[in-house]
Amino acid sequence: MVPLPDEVCLELHRWMRLTRTMDSQLLSLWKQGRGLGATFNQRGHEAISVGAGAALGPEDVVAPMHRDLGCYLLRGLSPRRIMANQLGRGTGVTGGRDANLHGCGDLSLNIIGFISHLPQSMPVALGAAMSFTYRRQPRVAMTFAGDGSSCTGVFHETLNLAAVHKAPFVVIVENNQYAYSTPLHQQMAIEDIAVRGDAHGVDSLIVDGNDVEAVYRAVEAAVARARRGEGPTLIEAKTMRMLGHAIHDGADYVPEALLEEWRTRDPIGMYEEVLLRRGLVDQNHLASVRADCAEVVADAVRFAESSPLPDPRTVTQGVYAS
C-alpha cells in the first residue's frame, strides 16, 4: 500500500488533536456552569470525523452529526464560530438559537446542518447527491449515522433509493456500541451493520474507526467510486463512545472493562505512535501541536465569552413562520 503523503498524515493528526482539545474544553466549560444547552462528547470518534471529512473534495457536500466536530472544523467552520454557538452567542453559527452542534451548518461551506433526530440527515444528503446527478456535476454528498439509527425505517428507505438511482452518496455508520444507553446486542441480531447495505445493493465495507488512515482511505475510495458514477457506499466504522451520550449522561451502564479495552486503542494515541515510528514527528513536535491547539481553543473561548447574546428583537428572523 502506497503511504499517504507526509503532509496529509500531519494534517490528519493536527485536526484530531484540535478536535480532542476543543471537546475537552467544552466538557470543562459545562462542568463549570459556563455553557448553555448541551454538549456532546467526541472522545473516541476523532479518527472517523477527521478521516472522513478530509477525504472529500472542496465542492462536495457533507451532513455531519453531533459527534463529528472534527469534520465541521476541517471543512471550514472556525473554532470561534463553533464555540460561540456552543455558548449561545449571537456570533455563533445559528446566531444563538441552538447552543450545541444541532443545526450547525453553513451551506456556503457545503455543510448541511445536523438534524437532531437520527438518521434524518440521510434523506437530505441523498437529495443533494441526486441533484448533482441531475445537474451532471462531479460532486459527492456524504453523511453520518449511528448504530441505533441503522435500525430505523428511513435508514433503509434512503439506502434503497440511493442504490436504485446509483447516487453519488457515501454514508458513514459510526458504530460506537451504544445507542444512548442501549448496547448493540439489544438493538440488533447481526454482528455487522454493513450487511444492511449489502441487502439494498449498496457497496459496503467495515473499517477500524480508530485508525484515521484506514478511514481516510476507505472514504477516499468511496468518494472516487461515487464520482465515477458507480453508486453509493456504506462504510461501517467500528469504534467506542468513551463518555456518555452528552454532558448530562454519566454512562454508568457501560462496563468499565469494555471502556478499558478501548482506552488502549485511543485513536490519537495510536496515531501518534505510528507517526513516531515513521519518524514524521518527535515529542517536541507533538508538544508543539498540543500547545498550538490549546491556544486556538483558548482564543475561541475568549471570543465567545466576549460576544453578545442574541438580540431579542431578532427572535422571529430565520424561521419559517412567526
Side-chain angles (χ1 to χ4, degrees):
M1 184 180 295
V2 178
L4 293 178
D6 292 354
E7 60 272 18
V8 172
C9 298
L10 295 176
E11 280 296 294
L12 291 174
H13 169 254
R14 181 184 178 279
W15 286 115
M16 283 202 296
R17 177 55 69 185
L18 179 60
T19 301
R20 175 72 58 85
T21 304
M22 191 163 184
D23 184 50
S24 297
Q25 181 62 74
L26 287 169
L27 291 172
S28 177
L29 288 172
W30 261 255
K31 289 177 180 179
Q32 297 170 40
R34 293 160 66 188
L36 296 175
T39 187
F40 298 87
N41 77 85
Q42 318 290 314
R43 188 70 59 88
H45 286 248
E46 296 91 349
I48 300 173
S49 64
V50 169
L56 292 173
E59 295 303 313
D60 295 331
V61 165
V62 64
M65 60 178 185
H66 57 307
R67 254 175 272 282
D68 297 315
L69 175 61
C71 187
Y72 289 101
L73 288 167
L74 71 85
R75 296 295 294 177
L77 277 185
S78 71
R80 282 186 165 194
R81 289 183 70 198
I82 293 175
M83 186 64 72
N85 205 70
Q86 293 274 16
L87 298 186
R89 305 306 170 116
T91 53
V93 185
T94 64
R97 285 158 173 75
D98 206 341
N100 52 49
L101 288 177
H102 291 175
C104 202
D106 186 333
L107 293 181
S108 73
L109 299 173
N110 292 320
I111 301 173
I112 297 173
F114 170 54
I115 302 170
S116 176
H117 293 80
L118 296 175
Q120 298 300 331
S121 291
M122 281 182 63
V124 176
L126 174 59
M130 292 175 67
S131 78
F132 301 153
T133 300
Y134 297 152
R135 298 170 185 168
R136 301 179 185 271
Q137 295 176 334
R139 301 168 70 188
V140 176
M142 182 177 77
T143 192
F144 299 79
D147 46 275
S149 62
S150 75
C151 299
T152 67
V154 71
F155 179 89
H156 295 274
E157 292 163 1
T158 304
L159 288 183
N160 180 67
L161 190 62
V164 168
H165 291 277
K166 297 188 71 174
F169 185 50
V170 178
V171 178
I172 315 295
V173 176
E174 300 184 43
N175 182 351
N176 64 14
Q177 315 304 310
Y178 281 83
Y180 203 124
S181 57
T182 306
L184 281 176
H185 71 273
Q186 293 181 9
Q187 300 179 53
M188 58 192 74
I190 56 175
E191 182 175 348
D192 299 318
I193 295 171
V195 301
R196 292 180 163 167
D198 296 334
H200 293 289
V202 173
D203 194 63
S204 304
L205 66 149
I206 299 169
V207 68
D208 180 355
N210 285 30
D211 182 338
V212 68
E213 290 193 10
V215 174
Y216 177 86
R217 290 180 185 277
V219 177
E220 183 182 45
V223 168
R225 180 174 176 276
R227 216 182 300 282
R228 292 193 300 267
E230 297 175 17
T233 301
L234 172 66
I235 300 173
E236 178 187 357
K238 293 182 184 287
T239 186
M240 179 68 195
R241 192 193 70 203
M242 297 304 294
L243 297 172
H245 173 71
I247 187 65
H248 59 271
D249 176 21
D252 295 336
Y253 46 82
V254 180
E256 181 57 34
L258 181 61
L259 291 172
E260 189 56 39
E261 175 188 344
W262 282 92
R263 284 191 189 102
T264 64
R265 300 180 54 211
D266 177 77
I268 299 178
M270 287 201 311
Y271 198 48
E272 288 181 345
E273 291 178 6
V274 168
L275 297 179
L276 286 166
R277 285 198 304 270
R278 292 178 184 170
L280 289 183
V281 302
D282 56 21
Q283 293 296 342
N284 288 334
H285 175 90
L286 296 180
S288 176
V289 171
R290 285 193 293 271
D292 288 346
C293 291
E295 178 50 38
V296 168
V297 173
D299 170 75
V301 173
R302 290 191 294 266
F303 171 81
E305 293 195 321
S306 64
S307 294
L309 291 167
D311 185 345
R313 292 173 297 181
T314 67
V315 69
T316 59
Q317 296 178 10
V319 296
Y320 288 107
S322 60

